[in-house]
Amino acid sequence: MIPNIARVALPVPLDKTFDYLIKSDDMPVIGGRVQVPFGRQRLIGIVTALTDHSDFPLEQLKPVQKVIDKTPLWMPPLFDLLKWASQYYQYPLGDTLANAMPALLRKGREASQATLKFWALTEAGKAQPLNGLTRAPKQAQLLRLLQNGSVSHDSLLNEEVSSATLKAVSNKGWIVEQQQQQKDKNWHQHFAVTEEKPRLNEEQALAIATVNSNPDFGCYLLEGVTGSGKTEVYLNLLEPVLAAGKQALILVPEIGLTPQTINRFRRRFNVPLETVHSGLNDSERMAAWLAGRDNQAGIIIGTRSALFTPFANLGIIIVDEEHDPSYKQQDSLRYHARDLAVMRANKENIPVVLGSATPALETLHNAKTGKYHHLHLTKRAGNAQLARHGVIDVKGLYLDAGLSAPLIAEMRKHLNAGNQVMLFLNRRGFSPAMMCHECGWIAECTRCDAYYTLHQQSGELRCHHCATQRPIMPQCEQCGSTQLLPVGVGTEQLENQLATLFPEYKTVRIDRDSTRRKGALENYLEAIKNNEYQILIGTQMLAKGHHFPNVTLVALIDVDSALFSNDFRASERLAQLFIQVAGRAGRASKPGEVLLQTHHPDHLLLQSLLHKGYGVFSQAALTERKQAMLPPYTHLVLVRAEANDSDTVCQLLQQIRGIFESSPVYDQDCCVLGPNPAPLARRAGRYRWQLILQTPNRKALQQILSIAKPAIQLLPLAKKVRWSIDVEPQDLT
Ligand code: ADP
Ligand code: ZN
Ligand code: ZN
C-alpha cells in the first residue's frame, strides 16, 4: 500500500479524526505533527494513521499543508497511553494529544533543541551605560533584562520585548543569539553516587529487594509512616536504574515540589535533573520535555502533568504521596496521574512505586486484592519519636475564635517552652458568613447559592465560588439594622484573635489569600524555619511536604465538618491530614503532640483513627464504602451540566439518563442517580445539576460511555447546555 491519505487528530472538541491528502514527496509520520486547513483556520494536528482509503470521495479531501515532524513525537508506549486516556476519560483525542504537548509544540515549533533560542549580552552590550539610552527606553529595558545572564527568546517576548527591538539591538552588536548550553547525553558513563548512604533497615532492604527482583512491570504500594525512610527507598531504587543508563520519573503533589525534595536527589547522584511544574514558562517546559526525550536528563521530578514527558529510556516511575488529590485534573482531560502512571508503567514494562503514609482507599483495595504488591515501613528511621495525640471534647465549651480554653492552655505551655505551634482550619477569610443580629438575614452571593465570606482585612464580602466581591454593606438589606455580625470562624479571624491572646508571640497565616504573590509561600516557610514566627495558622496547604522541626503542638480546630460532610471522601481526607501532621510534629528530637477539637469524641471513625491508626481506620472506612456501594467497590461517572435555565439542564440530564439506561450493556448491577441539583446548585448565575452512573464493572461502564457519548452529542439540548463527563471523579461538587 502506498498511503495517500493521512488521518489527523485535531485540537477540536469532536470525537473523530479527519482525512487529508498527502503529497508523495512530503510523507508525514504516524505520531508526528502536520498543519492542515480546517474551515477557514489552519490547525496543527497529529497523524494517527496513514492509509489509502477514505470514507469520503478523494476530491472532497483537502491536502496537508505542511509536514512538521519527520519523526514521531511519542514512542509507542506513551502514544498508546495517550490514546487510551482519551478513550478512558472520554476526552477527544486531538485535545488529549494537544494537552500532552508543550505550548511551543502546539504552536508548530520544531521539536528540537534548535527551537530554544537564547539571547545574551556581548562585551559591547555589557559596556553600554543604561542611562545613556534615555531615548530608547525599550532597548534599555532589554539590556537590563539580560544583565544577569542569558534569557530565552520566549521569556523576552513574555516581558513584552518586541522582535523589532531585538533586531535593532542585535544589529548594533550588543546582543547575540545563543543555543542553550549543550546538555550531557552521556551522563550515565560517569554516573556516581555522590554522598554517603545511610545503612538501610530490614524493612527498607526488603522493599528494595522486592522491587528489584523484577525489572518488568509491577506495581508496588510502599506504605510507610512519615519519616520511615520512603525517600531513602526511592533513592536506592533509582541507583541501579540510573547506573544502567535508564531514566527515572518522580511525581510529587502540587506543592510537594520543594527545593528540599529536589536537593535530596541532586545530592545523591551526579545526573542531570529537570523539574516540571506549573511555574515553568513555555521554553522551560519545552526544555524539560526535550531533555527527557533526548536522554539529557537522568531524573525528572514533577507534578501531575510531568507524567506526559517523553523518555528515551524510562526505567522506573515513582508516585510520592500517591493519595494526594492534586493528582486528579479537574478540567479538560480529567485524568488521574497516579492511575495513568500505573498504566504507563504497564505499557513501558517497568516497575512503578506508589508511596504514602496514608494510601488512598482505592490503592489499599488494589493492594488487598493482590493487584499491587504491598510493602511496609513501620519504623521511623533514626530515633524520631511518634507524636502523642488527644481529643478535646468541646461540647458546651466557650470557643474563642474557635479555640477552647484547654487548647489555649496547651498552646501556652508549648510556646513558653520556646517551641512553635501549628493550627489547622480549612476555612479562609474572617468568617464564612455575615448575619443580621436583629432579623437573621444572611448576606448571600447574588450569583451563587452560597453565602458571602467576610474578609475583614480588605473590608469585603467575597464569594468563594465565583469571582464576585463587594464592599461590606453598612446595613442589613432586609431590616436596615446596622448590627451585622460575623458567623463562624475563618483563618483571618483566628489570626486576629491570636494576636490578642498571645501578644508576645508572632503569628503567620498560610492560605490561598496570604500566599497569592509569587514567592510569598517560600518566604514564609523560610521565616518559619528561622523561628521568626511562633504560631502558624493554615489551611491544608501547610500540611504538605514541609518539615517544621520546632513545631511541637499541632491542633485541628474543627474536625466535625469533615466527619459530617456530604462528600464521601471527607473522612478519608481528614484521616490523611491527621496522620500527616502527626508525622510532622514528632519528627525532630522533641516529642510532638496533636490535638483535635470535636463535638463528637466518640465518633467511630475518629476513635479507630486515634487509637488504632490509619490501618484500622482505612479498614473500617473500606467496610463503610462497601456497604454503601461506593468506590473502590463501584466505579462512578459524574455528568455535570449547567446553564442559565434550570429546567433545560435537568431535561438534558434526564435524556442522558435515558441513553445510559437503554444501553445494551446496562444491567441490574448498573445504576443511575439523578438528575440532582449539584451541592452548589447555582454558581455564577448558572444552574448546576448532576447525574451519576455507578457500576461495579469497569468494563461495562466504559462500554456504556463509548456508546452513549456520540448519542449525547446528537441531542439538541447538548448544544445549549455546558456539560462534561468526569470518569472516576474525586470531587462531587
Ligand atoms: P519519608 O520519605 O518516609 O518521610 P525519609 O526518607 O525522608 O522518610 O527519611 C526520614 C529521615 O530519616 C531522613 O532524614 C533520612 O535521611 C533518614 N533515614 C532514612 N533511612 C535511614 C536509615 N536507614 N538510617 C538512618 N537514617 C535514615
Ligand atoms: Zn436585619
Ligand atoms: Zn458567587
Side-chain angles (χ1 to χ4, degrees):
M1 176 197 80
I2 301 169
N4 58 342
I5 291 161
R7 207 145 276 165
V8 182
L10 292 170
V12 291
L14 294 169
D15 285 303
K16 58 176 181 179
T17 50
F18 300 85
D19 289 356
Y20 289 90
L21 290 172
I22 47 188
K23 290 176 267 177
S24 54
D25 60 338
D26 198 11
M27 190 54 77
V29 292
I30 294 177
R33 288 168 300 163
V34 288
Q35 182 184 303
V36 295
F38 188 78
R40 269 188 252 154
Q41 299 167 277
R42 288 171 170 192
L43 293 180
I44 290 173
I46 301 291
V47 177
T48 58
L50 295 171
T51 160
D52 60 358
H53 69 275
S54 172
D55 294 340
F56 298 93
L58 287 191
E59 53 278 13
Q60 278 184 18
L61 298 185
K62 292 183 186 152
V64 170
Q65 280 171 335
K66 192 166 121 199
V67 173
I68 302 175
D69 297 306
K70 291 287 172 202
T71 52
L73 288 182
W74 302 282
M75 305 283 271
L78 181 51
F79 196 34
D80 289 349
L81 179 82
L82 291 168
K83 287 189 271 192
W84 184 88
S86 155
Q87 265 278 313
Y88 190 77
Y89 293 107
Q90 298 292 324
Y91 196 63
L93 180 60
D95 276 336
T96 301
L97 296 173
N99 238 284
M101 274 187 245
L104 293 183
L105 292 184
R106 284 201 292 273
K107 292 179 191 156
R109 283 291 186 84
E110 193 186 324
S112 81
Q113 305 286 340
T115 207
L116 296 172
K117 242 185 353 191
F118 282 73
W119 291 96
L121 292 177
T122 59
E123 288 307 317
K126 284 182 196 155
Q128 282 304 311
L130 293 177
N131 45 15
L133 280 170
T134 43
R135 281 194 296 151
K138 295 236 166 95
Q139 301 193 1
Q141 183 211 358
L142 171 57
L143 295 186
R144 214 167 279 128
L145 284 169
L146 295 180
Q147 269 191 340
N148 296 324
S150 63
V151 177
S152 76
H153 185 78
D154 298 288
S155 322
L156 289 176
L157 295 187
N158 284 345
E159 297 281 341
E160 284 164 11
V161 174
S162 69
S163 310
T165 309
L166 282 166
K167 195 152 175 232
V169 179
S170 93
N171 283 344
K172 288 183 177 171
W174 294 346
I175 58 173
V176 283
E177 216 179 289
Q178 280 184 340
Q179 285 290 301
Q180 205 189 20
Q181 83 268 30
Q182 208 42 52
K183 287 186 191 153
D184 185 8
K185 273 188 204 214
N186 300 318
W187 52 265
H188 81 272
Q189 288 173 3
H190 40 86
F191 167 78
V193 175
T194 44
E195 69 171 357
E196 202 172 324
K197 300 187 283 181
R199 242 190 61 196
L200 299 170
N201 66 35
E202 248 172 65
E203 288 178 326
Q204 286 174 316
L206 179 64
I208 294 160
T210 309
V211 180
N212 281 345
S213 67
N214 179 7
D216 296 335
F217 170 69
C219 182
Y220 304 86
L221 165 60
L222 179 63
E223 180 175 0
V225 293
T226 312
S228 60
K230 291 186 293 297
T231 312
E232 190 54 45
V233 170
Y234 305 155
L235 288 162
N236 276 274
L237 289 173
L238 255 55
E239 191 180 322
V241 170
L242 297 168
K246 291 191 231 164
Q247 299 161 287
L249 169 63
I250 298 160
L251 296 182
V252 295
E254 239 151 45
I255 40 186
L257 191 56
T258 59
Q260 291 163 342
T261 315
I262 299 163
N263 284 340
R264 282 189 75 179
F265 289 87
R266 278 201 208 283
R267 273 205 310 271
R268 179 66 56 97
F269 308 113
N270 66 344
V271 309
L273 179 155
E274 294 277 344
T275 57
V276 175
H277 52 89
S278 56
L280 298 185
N281 66 29
D282 289 355
S283 343
E284 289 166 336
R285 194 166 276 275
M286 179 76 171
W289 193 92
L290 290 168
R293 188 197 66 173
D294 297 344
N295 202 8
Q296 293 178 337
I299 303 173
I300 289 195
I301 309 184
T303 50
R304 181 174 75 220
S305 69
L307 178 78
F308 299 126
T309 312
F311 285 90
N313 194 0
L314 188 58
I316 192 167
I317 305 178
I318 304 224
V319 184
D320 192 28
E321 309 282 357
E322 63 82 32
H323 63 277
D324 196 278
S326 74
Y327 283 124
K328 170 85 175 175
Q329 172 138 317
Q330 302 288 5
D331 56 12
S332 62
L333 175 65
R334 293 176 168 80
Y335 67 99
H336 200 300
R338 178 236 296 143
D339 297 347
L340 277 192
V342 175
M343 200 54 169
R344 180 162 185 186
N346 181 303
K347 293 195 183 290
E348 308 255 5
N349 196 25
I350 55 172
V352 54
V353 178
L354 314 178
S356 177
T358 51
L361 294 183
E362 280 87 351
T363 307
L364 277 174
H365 181 65
N366 279 328
K368 285 190 191 348
T369 54
K371 265 177 82 179
Y372 299 170
H373 306 265
H374 202 161
L375 308 168
H376 298 270
L377 302 181
T378 55
K379 298 177 192 66
R380 294 188 134 199
N383 49 12
Q385 307 179 32
L386 268 176
R388 281 176 295 135
H389 48 68
V391 173
I392 300 177
D393 182 357
V394 294
K395 267 198 305 292
L397 294 188
Y398 172 70
L399 296 179
D400 193 357
L403 304 172
S404 63
L407 177 56
I408 295 173
E410 199 61 24
M411 286 176 66
R412 201 172 295 284
K413 227 167 68 192
H414 284 260
L415 289 167
N416 289 346
N419 299 321
Q420 287 171 320
V421 168
M422 187 150 89
L423 305 176
F424 279 97
L425 181 60
N426 229 357
R427 226 179 284 128
R428 294 181 290 129
F430 188 85
S431 72
M434 192 177 73
M435 184 167 72
C436 171
H437 188 50
E438 293 195 32
C439 78
W441 171 83
I442 301 180
E444 225 172 303
C445 175
T446 49
R447 307 172 69 215
C448 305
D449 281 345
Y451 300 130
Y452 276 124
T453 299
L454 173 63
H455 286 253
Q456 211 163 57
Q457 236 167 23
S458 57
E460 279 171 339
L461 296 177
R462 286 191 210 152
C463 173
H464 286 184
H465 304 285
C466 70
T468 306
Q469 51 194 61
R470 50 158 299 167
I472 299 173
M473 56 280 283
Q475 287 176 305
C476 168
E477 291 187 350
Q478 188 165 280
C479 77
S481 161
T482 52
Q483 290 201 52
L484 296 175
L485 300 176
V487 192
V489 181
T491 48
E492 199 186 304
Q493 185 176 157
L494 187 56
E495 183 183 21
N496 286 4
Q497 196 53 27
L498 286 166
T500 314
L501 284 169
F502 299 100
E504 66 275 40
Y505 298 111
K506 270 184 81 183
T507 300
V508 61
R509 169 165 62 94
I510 308 271
D511 59 23
R512 246 195 296 153
D513 296 316
S514 72
T515 57
R516 223 168 279 259
R517 264 177 310 111
K518 207 178 165 189
L521 178 62
E522 289 71 23
N523 291 342
Y524 281 135
L525 295 177
E526 194 55 37
I528 293 170
K529 252 203 341 230
N530 296 333
N531 271 321
E532 287 170 39
Y533 299 102
Q534 293 76 45
I535 305 175
L536 332 175
I537 326 171
T539 53
Q540 299 203 21
M541 238 179 134
L542 195 52
K544 292 187 190 167
H546 312 300
H547 310 320
F548 302 116
N550 291 319
V551 170
T552 53
L553 173 64
V554 180
L556 308 189
I557 303 299
D558 170 24
V559 302
D560 294 346
S561 49
L563 290 178
F564 299 97
S565 164
N566 54 11
D567 174 357
F568 70 85
R569 285 197 174 82
S571 57
E572 178 186 353
R573 302 253 191 268
L574 170 68
Q576 289 164 343
L577 174 69
F578 169 76
I579 299 287
Q580 248 177 44
V581 298
R584 304 266 175 255
R587 191 157 228 202
S589 48
K590 301 171 182 174
E593 183 173 5
V594 183
L595 293 175
L596 308 181
Q597 290 196 141
T598 176
H599 291 85
H600 300 270
D602 299 327
H603 192 286
L604 211 64
L605 287 181
L606 203 56
Q607 282 298 322
S608 68
L609 176 63
L610 288 172
H611 300 298
K612 313 238 167 65
Y614 190 76
V616 174
F617 161 84
S618 54
Q619 199 46 57
L622 275 171
T623 307
E624 266 194 3
R625 295 270 187 97
K626 190 169 187 176
Q627 284 159 355
M629 298 218 301
L630 285 167
Y633 299 94
T634 56
H635 301 280
L636 302 185
V637 171
L638 178 65
V639 186
R640 295 186 181 87
E642 60 172 58
N644 293 325
D645 171 51
S646 184
D647 289 346
T648 318
V649 185
C650 182
Q651 232 174 49
L652 171 68
L653 289 184
Q654 284 290 5
Q655 294 171 359
I656 295 179
R657 178 180 178 131
I659 291 176
F660 285 158
E661 285 172 340
S662 62
S663 170
V665 260
Y666 190 92
D667 59 20
Q668 72 271 22
D669 286 339
C670 301
C671 119
V672 194
L673 308 166
N676 288 315
L680 181 66
R682 192 170 55 109
R683 183 168 69 192
R686 302 169 76 90
Y687 291 88
R688 312 166 76 235
W689 288 74
Q690 42 181 244
L691 188 71
I692 291 175
L693 170 62
Q694 183 180 34
T695 159
N697 183 344
R698 181 182 263 159
K699 212 157 148 200
L701 192 98
Q702 281 295 318
Q703 283 171 342
I704 294 173
L705 283 180
S706 54
I707 300 171
K709 194 161 172 216
I712 298 172
Q713 280 165 333
L714 290 176
L715 296 172
L717 282 181
K719 297 190 177 57
K720 296 191 187 142
V721 173
R722 193 192 296 170
W723 59 278
S724 64
I725 294 178
D726 191 348
V727 179
E728 314 216 22
Q730 285 288 312
D731 177 3
L732 298 181
T733 55

